[in-house]
Amino acid sequence: LMLVIATGDPRPISRQIVDGVRMKIATGELQLGVQLPSVRGLAQQLTINPNTVAKAYAELTSEGWLESRQGTGLFVATPRQRLSDDERERRLDDAIGRFVNDVIPLGYPPEEVQARVAEEFRQLAPRKIA
């Protein structure tokens, strides 16, 4: 599991792990049934506290991204709608609001921002299909 933890990122390390694993699952880079490293293994790989990994794994499991199999570890869970429609809508609104507030001060024209966002989606789409 190749995750990059950025020390300058304002998000806590556990949030970076959760976001990274979610993205890898959502884009198909981590496929159904793939086993994730143990808590201790990922902690050693990232040189972080195992409690941080355990916290991230617990959140991913409670949200349905991962499933725990007794005695064997954590695996990518069967896809399902993990959030209610209202929660998905709320999170999308929050993410767009943060994005817009970060981008407007940069002074790019809206058309360029939209084109670059569309290109990012195009780059992610083939991984999801493959």
Side-chain angles (χ1 to χ4, degrees):
L1 179 63
M2 293 302 299
L3 292 175
V4 177
I5 301 301
T7 55
D9 194 313
R11 297 172 299 163
I13 292 172
S14 63
R15 170 64 36 211
Q16 291 181 54
I17 294 169
V18 168
D19 291 348
V21 171
R22 280 184 189 148
M23 181 61 85
K24 287 183 181 297
I25 294 171
T27 60
E29 193 173 330
L30 277 176
Q31 296 183 357
L32 172 66
V34 170
Q35 185 173 12
L36 274 72
S38 68
V39 168
R40 183 172 288 133
L42 187 58
Q44 287 175 342
Q45 177 186 331
L46 299 174
T47 60
I48 60 173
N49 188 312
N51 291 334
T52 303
V53 176
K55 179 180 176 184
Y57 277 180
E59 181 174 340
L60 289 162
T61 302
S62 72
E63 290 181 353
W65 293 95
L66 303 178
E67 64 182 358
S68 179
R69 297 182 190 162
Q70 190 65 32
T72 58
L74 286 169
F75 297 81
V76 175
T78 302
R80 60 178 173 84
Q81 184 167 329
R82 294 171 174 94
L83 302 170
S84 70
D85 289 340
D86 288 343
E87 180 64 11
R88 290 174 64 231
E89 193 70 30
R90 186 192 67 74
R91 287 188 185 194
L92 178 60
D93 289 344
D94 288 349
I96 290 172
R98 286 190 310 274
F99 174 78
V100 169
N101 285 326
D102 287 346
V103 170
I104 285 178
L106 299 176
Y108 286 99
E111 300 78 22
E112 183 174 347
V113 173
Q114 291 169 350
R116 290 178 69 176
V117 169
E119 179 58 28
E120 284 295 316
F121 273 103
R122 274 192 294 279
Q123 289 179 14
L124 290 174
R127 282 194 253 161
K128 178 107 178 161
I129 295 167

